[in-house]
Amino acid sequence: MKVKKLSLIICLALLLYAFTACSKNEKTQTTEWESYSTTGFKVYKDGVFFTDNNTILHYFDASSKENVILCDKKDCQHSGSSCHGYIGSSRGYVVSGEHIYTLNSNDSFDTLIESNIDYTNHRETVSLGKALAEQGYYISADSFLVSGDYLYYLAQVTNFDTGDSYYGIYGINIKTGKETTIADRQKSSSDLNIVSVCGPEIIYFTSYLDEELSNQIYGLEQETIDWEQWNKKFKEIEEQRTYSVYRYNMETGETTVFYENKTTTLPLFANENSLYCMNYTIDETSYVADRYFTVDQKTQEEKAVTEDEYYKAFRGYTDSEKETITGGNEDLNIYFLTDSGYIGTRADKKVQTGENSYLITKQSYILIDKNNPQNEPFVFYTFEK
């Protein structure tokens, strides 16, 4: 078995559901810069959406401390696919504006389903990659985001006849069904990704690593690898990967270059003013931030920022503030700040799996009072493995 390529999504695994207003329409409704959530939570107003261990959708209102299962089926036990709140058969979900979106698959297409914010009244909107499918390709979406009237997705595109495949980023106007190729013909999912989206605008990156160099770390059989030497080689080679970051407007077709062909420079997230990025080094296979900086959305000018400034913009609090909030308790982790408090998790039961490793077998989702963080956290969901 060959070594699998490390998706650069892993590098962005600390990304939260960052969002800030980027524009307004004539009715003063805001469209927001949105990024992937990898925390298991989706922020909406003063609360969060999340799925339980049965992949049933919940909404926790932090102001009232009420956890609601989003199912309108009478006498439902909320334990499987018959529950109206079940989303386990979809490719995930996103929350945008006053709607919840899921991607559902059939034999030929992935279709975007739009639902009311209480997860009722499901409606099919657009199917992904219809034109490519008609040319003999199969489209498999890896991830997606919705903002305003636009769907954006990263997908693997495979030729039915030859089996050859590539990766691309695509956008669809949900109202008209018009689909646009934003970037494609990339060999690996680690060669491109969506950073943030806002209405008709998307910020994305592409990366490049010489194929011969890539094969020296990714083209090996695992059984033959000396892992100590491989880690050194990984650092040496992956630090030669270059990144280019662009903003594309679906309405005008205009592309803005933030930067091109930079090594060890990852884009992280965007708000209405800036794109936040980091310079990194590699420690074994971990990406460690050396420096943070912003790129101005209007002028593309770069400006160095401190780690505290980055985290303050990113999640609303710094690492030192996080330490104070959690009291240094390693079993507590917080992800973001709502009006009522900090949403996070608490490890309730752990099983030792090695000298420096353990498996969490019981975990709670918690709310920590932002005004009195020393109080006992409020538990709004607990599950065991």
Side-chain angles (χ1 to χ4, degrees), residues 2 12 32 60 84 119 206 225 244 272 275 306 325 328 345:
K2 290 187 178 180
L12 306 177
E32 300 166 334
F60 172 65
H84 288 183
Y119 202 53
T206 61
I225 292 176
S244 299
E272 73 274 24
L275 170 68
T306 66
I325 294 160
T345 58

Side-chain angles (χ1 to χ4, degrees), residues 265-314:
T265 307
L266 269 174
L268 298 174
F269 78 97
N271 62 24
E272 73 274 24
N273 297 316
S274 303
L275 170 68
Y276 283 75
C277 310
M278 75 172 184
N279 295 122
Y280 66 83
T281 55
I282 296 176
D283 181 10
E284 292 189 342
T285 57
S286 298
Y287 291 69
V288 181
D290 277 344
R291 169 182 173 265
Y292 292 99
F293 67 94
T294 60
V295 183
D296 189 279
Q297 285 264 35
K298 293 181 180 179
T299 66
Q300 287 73 63
E301 292 182 4
E302 294 186 14
K303 176 186 175 183
V305 294
T306 66
E307 184 178 52
D308 281 351
E309 288 174 321
Y310 161 70
Y311 278 119
K312 201 75 172 179
F314 177 52

Side-chain angles (χ1 to χ4, degrees), residues 159-300:
N159 187 297
F160 272 120
D161 295 329
T162 66
D164 294 336
S165 64
Y166 61 87
Y167 288 82
I169 294 173
Y170 307 91
I172 306 178
N173 184 313
I174 298 172
K175 300 297 184 185
T176 66
K178 180 182 178 181
E179 186 158 11
T180 301
T181 298
I182 297 168
D184 70 349
R185 303 292 172 177
Q186 302 293 321
K187 293 182 179 180
S188 167
S189 60
S190 63
D191 291 341
L192 75 172
N193 205 357
I194 299 169
V195 179
S196 298
V197 301
C198 181
E201 294 193 307
I202 174 175
I203 295 174
Y204 68 97
F205 74 80
T206 61
S207 75
Y208 172 76
L209 182 63
D210 179 81
E211 186 173 0
E212 185 176 333
L213 290 175
S214 178
N215 287 335
Q216 291 182 37
I217 52 176
Y218 296 120
L220 305 175
E221 298 292 337
Q222 287 193 14
E223 295 79 8
T224 67
I225 292 176
D226 178 331
W227 287 105
E228 183 177 350
Q229 292 300 315
W230 187 89
N231 285 341
K232 292 179 181 178
K233 199 73 171 176
F234 178 87
K235 171 181 172 64
E236 175 191 331
I237 290 176
E238 270 294 343
E239 287 187 350
Q240 297 181 57
R241 182 184 292 274
T242 60
Y243 299 90
S244 299
V245 184
Y246 308 97
R247 185 179 65 223
Y248 178 79
N249 188 300
M250 290 275 290
E251 292 181 350
T252 66
E254 180 182 2
T255 297
T256 300
V257 179
F258 283 102
Y259 59 80
E260 291 186 304
N261 302 320
K262 284 193 175 186
T263 57
T264 62
T265 307
L266 269 174
L268 298 174
F269 78 97
N271 62 24
E272 73 274 24
N273 297 316
S274 303
L275 170 68
Y276 283 75
C277 310
M278 75 172 184
N279 295 122
Y280 66 83
T281 55
I282 296 176
D283 181 10
E284 292 189 342
T285 57
S286 298
Y287 291 69
V288 181
D290 277 344
R291 169 182 173 265
Y292 292 99
F293 67 94
T294 60
V295 183
D296 189 279
Q297 285 264 35
K298 293 181 180 179
T299 66
Q300 287 73 63

Side-chain angles (χ1 to χ4, degrees), residues 24-216:
K24 295 185 179 182
N25 65 18
E26 65 275 10
K27 296 181 180 180
T28 70
Q29 296 173 331
T30 60
T31 304
E32 300 166 334
W33 281 103
E34 303 184 13
S35 305
Y36 292 121
S37 168
T38 58
T39 65
F41 299 110
K42 306 283 195 298
V43 175
Y44 174 76
K45 295 186 176 179
D46 190 18
V48 289
F49 289 92
F50 68 95
T51 56
D52 62 23
N53 55 343
N54 292 314
T55 60
I56 307 298
L57 191 59
H58 295 233
Y59 178 71
F60 172 65
D61 186 321
S63 59
S64 66
K65 296 183 177 179
E66 183 180 7
N67 177 28
V68 179
I69 299 175
L70 299 182
C71 171
D72 60 356
K73 182 180 178 182
K74 186 177 180 181
D75 300 323
C76 184
Q77 298 302 307
H78 313 303
S79 60
S81 58
S82 63
C83 175
H84 288 183
Y86 179 77
I87 63 166
S89 58
S90 69
R91 292 185 182 269
Y93 75 100
V94 299
V95 179
S96 181
E98 295 299 312
H99 297 101
I100 297 171
Y101 294 90
T102 56
L103 272 186
N104 289 10
S105 301
N106 57 32
D107 292 338
S108 303
F109 303 110
D110 288 335
T111 299
L112 184 71
I113 308 298
E114 181 184 81
S115 306
N116 292 353
I117 202 65
D118 61 355
Y119 202 53
T120 60
N121 192 21
H122 312 301
R123 306 169 293 280
E124 290 189 0
T125 57
V126 291
S127 294
L128 283 58
K130 270 192 171 182
L132 285 168
E134 291 170 357
Q135 297 171 35
Y137 290 90
Y138 173 71
I139 292 83
S140 177
D142 280 6
S143 53
F144 73 103
L145 287 169
V146 175
S147 180
D149 294 336
Y150 295 88
L151 161 69
Y152 301 92
Y153 66 98
L154 170 68
Q156 182 179 22
V157 181
T158 304
N159 187 297
F160 272 120
D161 295 329
T162 66
D164 294 336
S165 64
Y166 61 87
Y167 288 82
I169 294 173
Y170 307 91
I172 306 178
N173 184 313
I174 298 172
K175 300 297 184 185
T176 66
K178 180 182 178 181
E179 186 158 11
T180 301
T181 298
I182 297 168
D184 70 349
R185 303 292 172 177
Q186 302 293 321
K187 293 182 179 180
S188 167
S189 60
S190 63
D191 291 341
L192 75 172
N193 205 357
I194 299 169
V195 179
S196 298
V197 301
C198 181
E201 294 193 307
I202 174 175
I203 295 174
Y204 68 97
F205 74 80
T206 61
S207 75
Y208 172 76
L209 182 63
D210 179 81
E211 186 173 0
E212 185 176 333
L213 290 175
S214 178
N215 287 335
Q216 291 182 37

